[in-house]
Amino acid sequence: MKSKSATSWSATQSEDLYGFKRWGAGHFGVDAGGFVAVQPLADGRAIRLMDVVTEAAGMGLKAPLVIRFQDLLRHRVVQLNEVFSRAIREEGYKGDYRGVFPIKVNQLREVVDEVVAAGKEWHYGLEAGSKPELMVALAMHEGGKGLIICNGYKDPDYIRLALLGRKLGKKIILVVEQLSELDEIIRLAAETGVKPLLGLRVKLQTRGEGKWATSTGDNAKFGLNTAEILFAVERLRKARLSSALRLVHFHIGSQVPNILTIKNAVVEAARFYCQLAQMGFPMGYLDVGGGLGIDYDGSRTNFDSSMNYSMDEYARDVVHNIKEICDDAGVDEPDIVSESGRAVVAPHSLLVVEVFERINKRESLGQQHRPREKHKIVTDLEDMLKNKARLGRLERYHDAVQKKEEAFSLFSLGYLDLENRAAAEQIFWQICEQIGRETDRSGYVPEELRDLKKLLADQYVGNFSVFQSLLDHWGLDQLFPVAPLHRLNEKPTVNAVLVDITCDSDGKIDRFIDLQDVKDYITLHPLNNKPYYLGIFLTGAYQDIMGDLHNLFGRVNEVHVFLENDEPNDFYIEEALAGSRVSDVIEGVQYQWEELCRRMKQQIDHATKKDLVKPREGVRLLEFYESQMSAKTYLNIERGGGRKPKA
Ligand SMILES: *Cc1c(COP(=O)(O)O)cnc(C)c1O
């Protein structure tokens, strides 16, 4: 692009367009060279993402690539503990904060390791929701002050594992989610002679808000209703386990966008807590569950992918409301437990995707077709393109759609030949583009014309799978910030949606963050025969483990990055995890690579006998097939070779 506007574009304008400052929480920005830079500790020390991408590629780890910033993860743990400490100090609260990290949000060992190490000073603990997670928590947890909270469905062995932890002196609390669990716990406590610590998960009436609103209320999957709580405490008394009851727990769902929901839930749960304390149970902990959000779109609203509060405000409200209710009831203020997962891990990692192809609807129809005998419908459309009647854009759009549909009916009835149909389609898209350009210049855009802009957006094809790396976008319409990692001092001029390489029309990103609403496209740079990289940000929570093997793509490459002052780029890659290889993913669905190679050999031998291939060629073909077993599953993009990206 040589136009003036292209050269007058600045990195700051890009920063604003893609919203880095709004959703980046002080960690993400654009440097003067037009590159995205990350400040893991938000202290001015910045790492250029493209430097990491280049270094990783040098190690054989090309995009799609997950980059984890271990210092950013540490920073979030510290931040969460500090905001609670501050709120406790400022409110003159008498209890402590004893947060736990819910392992299900990111189970990767390097993540759990970092979280445990970062939280040591505050006795930050772990939360498990299943037996495998509890096995991890038991081994990774250290010290006698931090908690292990046991949620989820529990079989006898799950309970035995928790009792094992008790024997080692760990503060491990079994949260009763169903009455039947309580009977098992009582039986096994007697059997092993170990006294458990118990919590009750209460089913709140406070309705959640956001995508996980059904986590509360009468139809919630977990928790005890009021009558069941009364049953439970009776049973504990009878079993002489009254002194085991220590905690009240609730969880109103993840990503709660509205602070009012949180306040109401905390108040209701604090009442439960006080009632139980007044009934004479020792208590000591109030667990407010997860739900602390991430402002994915940076709008600071109660929209699903946003939140209308800050982490500070969350901590202050939790502390303040518990204090108020307890003081009112004359009950000692409990230690506060929170199970914030998303808010701790989401910002620390991102997915890097290489875009290698652009698909444009009108271009894909080829050059303008000039039918030998032009049908009247084609000349009508041509007149419309010239807009001789000087109609408004909406009216022209309606007329063009009508003509296009007429052309399709004529074709079906046999009155229009292939060439005329192609010409009609071609001119239709030209008219749409013309109207689209006019829309850009005027302010108000009627709904139909907004849809037209979406229709006109190009498709940028990225080497990744939504099903592996962004399942919440596919399944829950959750929005993640997307932005180029470089060329940010060039004006982006192409409206596009991002499609992945799975053979599934759902495999795409066509909803993007926007301050007002949701955008149907993102504005990107024209491709230029060089690699073009996009970052999909804030993907550190849930996405890694929810991903599936659709089309057998499997795990992507991954690097773990640390800040380092003595290194030339101020960072080093400590750990590199190679993505799935073909042999890995096919074994997951019960094929053995040796068996497949043997079958291929038979077929090639057979073809050689029949003289379909020469013996020497047969050997080469088999070698190639075998070598692909250890190839990575994603596209191996060769530039300058066979596959040239279309600009
Ligand atoms: C999933 C879950 C969490 C984590 O929630 P976030 O919103 O990610 O903080 C906490 N507690 C329980 C019981 C959960 O099921």
Side-chain angles (χ1 to χ4, degrees):
M1 292 297 275
K2 283 171 230 89
S3 70
K4 263 193 214 131
S5 59
T7 49
S8 67
W9 187 259
S10 73
T12 321
Q13 281 168 291
S14 287
E15 210 162 57
D16 188 53
L17 174 67
Y18 300 111
F20 288 102
K21 285 286 183 280
R22 291 187 292 270
W23 54 259
H27 294 291
F28 296 90
V30 179
D31 67 18
F35 293 95
V36 179
V38 180
Q39 294 183 29
L41 299 176
D43 63 351
R45 281 193 292 166
I47 299 172
R48 260 189 192 177
L49 283 174
M50 279 305 290
D51 289 346
V52 180
V53 171
T54 308
E55 188 158 326
M59 302 163 76
L61 301 172
K62 293 201 231 164
L65 176 71
V66 165
I67 305 178
R68 289 188 200 289
F69 290 99
Q70 298 290 113
D71 301 276
L72 208 164
L73 179 56
R74 177 171 283 268
H75 184 78
R76 293 296 287 188
V77 174
V78 170
Q79 214 174 359
L80 178 69
N81 280 282
E82 279 182 347
V83 295
F84 268 101
S85 300
R86 198 177 327 130
I88 280 173
R89 230 177 18 251
E90 285 172 10
E91 290 284 333
Y93 190 82
K94 295 189 197 70
D96 285 321
Y97 173 65
R98 287 280 181 266
V100 289
F101 173 68
I103 294 179
K104 78 154 191 266
V105 186
N106 197 317
Q107 297 94 336
L108 191 73
R109 179 177 55 76
E110 288 87 340
V111 170
V112 174
D113 248 349
E114 196 74 47
V115 167
V116 169
K120 204 163 191 163
E121 188 181 327
W122 294 276
H123 310 293
Y124 193 56
L126 294 168
E127 186 261 3
S130 67
K131 201 158 40 178
E133 287 182 0
L134 178 56
M135 305 271 295
V136 169
L138 278 170
M140 303 294 283
H141 171 269
E142 292 166 6
K145 280 193 170 167
L147 300 174
I148 297 179
I149 302 284
C150 301
N151 292 321
Y153 287 98
K154 302 170 191 72
D155 67 5
D157 286 338
Y158 183 129
I159 296 165
R160 286 190 187 101
L161 282 167
L163 296 176
L164 180 160
R166 281 298 294 150
K167 277 216 159 173
L168 302 180
K170 290 182 188 292
K171 281 224 170 70
I172 179 162
I173 301 183
L174 278 161
V175 176
V176 177
E177 315 230 24
Q178 328 272 345
L179 271 186
S180 57
E181 281 171 18
L182 189 59
D183 296 333
E184 278 299 291
I185 294 170
I186 291 170
R187 180 175 73 82
L188 291 167
E191 191 181 293
T192 55
V194 181
K195 200 173 136 195
L197 298 179
L198 299 180
L200 298 177
R201 177 165 181 168
V202 298
K203 216 177 238 180
L204 296 184
Q205 275 308 307
T206 305
R207 290 288 292 160
E209 196 177 329
K211 296 193 185 298
W212 286 268
T214 50
S215 305
T216 60
D218 294 326
N219 290 327
K221 200 164 121 186
F222 293 113
L224 307 178
N225 62 32
T226 321
E228 287 171 325
I229 285 176
L230 291 173
F231 265 131
V233 298
E234 237 3 85
R235 247 178 246 180
L236 281 178
R237 282 216 175 98
K238 281 211 188 94
R240 300 185 168 281
L241 276 175
S242 298
S243 62
L245 185 57
R246 300 298 173 89
L247 174 143
V248 163
H249 171 270
F250 72 88
H251 175 65
I252 50 172
S254 200
Q255 184 65 18
V256 177
N258 194 343
I259 189 72
L260 283 179
T261 315
I262 288 164
K263 288 188 205 219
N264 292 337
V266 167
V267 166
E268 191 185 345
R271 291 281 178 213
F272 273 100
Y273 178 90
C274 290
Q275 294 264 328
L276 289 166
Q278 285 168 334
M279 288 164 81
F281 295 96
M283 305 311 289
Y285 298 99
L286 177 52
D287 182 347
V288 299
L292 174 56
I294 283 283
D295 193 358
Y296 292 95
D297 71 3
S299 67
R300 264 297 200 107
T301 57
N302 61 357
F303 174 64
D304 282 353
S305 294
S306 184
M307 61 200 270
N308 65 2
Y309 56 96
S310 64
M311 196 193 265
D312 272 291
E313 189 179 348
Y314 174 83
R316 269 197 309 274
D317 277 346
V318 168
V319 172
H320 177 84
N321 284 295
I322 295 177
K323 181 179 164 64
E324 211 167 67
I325 303 291
C326 289
D327 291 359
D328 180 49
V331 167
D332 285 348
E333 293 158 13
D335 284 350
I336 297 171
V337 182
S338 87
E339 304 173 347
S340 308
R342 180 187 299 275
V344 171
V345 294
H348 90 282
S349 76
L350 69 138
L351 176 74
V352 177
V353 169
E354 181 180 349
V355 174
F356 61 95
E357 188 154 359
R358 168 189 167 208
I359 298 169
N360 172 291
K361 291 196 191 69
R362 195 177 52 77
E363 276 173 19
S364 68
L365 290 170
Q367 292 300 312
Q368 170 119 23
H369 290 278
R370 297 190 183 285
R372 265 152 298 178
E373 277 175 58
K374 241 186 237 177
H375 192 280
K376 179 168 179 312
I377 199 142
V378 174
T379 42
D380 284 354
L381 278 159
E382 278 174 348
D383 287 346
M384 252 181 232
L385 183 61
K386 291 179 198 135
N387 194 16
K388 286 194 179 135
R390 308 217 163 273
L391 299 177
R393 45 199 171 132
L394 196 55
E395 193 171 350
R396 251 152 73 220
Y397 178 59
H398 290 153
D399 290 353
V401 170
Q402 190 202 355
K403 282 288 168 203
K404 183 189 69 168
E405 276 165 14
E406 209 179 305
F408 288 163
S409 325
L410 286 169
F411 179 79
S412 297
L413 293 170
Y415 295 126
L416 197 67
D417 61 18
L418 263 183
E419 290 200 323
N420 272 291
R421 176 175 159 146
E425 276 184 70
Q426 175 86 20
I427 303 165
F428 170 76
W429 285 110
Q430 281 178 328
I431 296 169
C432 289
E433 280 188 342
Q434 196 180 54
I435 296 170
R437 276 194 299 276
E438 286 168 33
T439 314
D440 278 338
R441 281 178 245 126
S442 66
Y444 173 72
V445 185
E447 173 127 8
E448 278 170 288
L449 294 187
R450 243 180 300 161
D451 291 346
L452 172 64
K453 289 204 76 162
K454 178 179 180 179
L455 210 62
L456 283 173
D458 284 354
Q459 289 179 335
Y460 270 38
V461 190
N463 189 11
F464 77 114
S465 158
V466 165
F467 303 92
Q468 170 64 37
S469 299
L470 296 166
L471 204 70
D472 282 349
H473 182 76
W474 175 76
L476 293 161
D477 257 348
Q478 205 211 293
L479 303 183
F480 293 94
V482 179
L485 301 185
H486 51 150
R487 297 176 63 186
L488 291 166
N489 42 21
E490 260 174 67
K491 184 174 178 165
T493 51
V494 183
N495 292 337
V497 299
L498 188 61
V499 301
D500 74 6
I501 55 169
T502 63
C503 304
D504 196 312
S505 39
D506 268 3
K508 63 183 174 189
I509 303 180
D510 59 358
R511 291 164 61 79
F512 298 90
I513 63 165
D514 185 54
L515 269 188
Q516 310 297 334
D517 199 355
V518 175
K519 261 207 288 220
D520 298 323
Y521 54 85
I522 182 172
T523 310
L524 298 171
H525 302 91
L527 300 185
N528 61 5
N529 276 322
K530 290 189 192 132
Y532 185 58
Y533 291 107
L534 300 179
I536 301 168
F537 296 86
L538 311 181
T539 54
Y542 299 104
Q543 305 317 297
D544 293 311
I545 210 70
M546 303 280 284
D548 63 35
L549 269 173
H550 194 17
N551 266 152
L552 297 184
F553 281 117
R555 277 189 73 132
V556 304
N557 290 324
E558 181 171 327
V559 290
H560 301 167
V561 176
F562 285 82
L563 274 166
E564 174 63 87
N565 281 329
D566 306 330
E567 294 286 319
N569 298 327
D570 292 339
F571 74 86
Y572 67 100
I573 293 176
E574 192 192 72
E575 189 110 24
L577 313 179
S580 301
R581 296 178 187 280
V582 174
S583 55
D584 301 333
V585 293
I586 63 175
E587 263 169 41
V589 281
Q590 298 284 3
Y591 299 96
Q592 284 176 337
W593 66 267
E594 296 95 334
E595 165 73 5
L596 294 189
C597 287
R598 197 180 55 71
R599 282 169 169 250
M600 278 314 286
K601 183 173 183 320
Q602 272 175 1
Q603 293 184 51
I604 289 171
D605 286 349
H606 190 66
T608 314
K609 277 200 198 96
K610 283 191 140 176
D611 215 20
L612 292 170
V613 292
K614 295 270 166 298
R616 184 191 295 276
E617 193 186 4
V619 171
R620 229 190 39 239
L621 291 177
L622 185 62
E623 271 173 13
F624 174 66
Y625 180 85
E626 286 172 349
S627 73
Q628 286 301 301
M629 280 294 173
S630 53
K632 300 274 176 62
T633 50
Y634 290 87
L635 301 192
N636 182 20
I637 297 165
E638 296 175 10
R639 270 170 211 283
R643 172 158 221 156
K644 276 224 181 71
K646 268 196 274 168

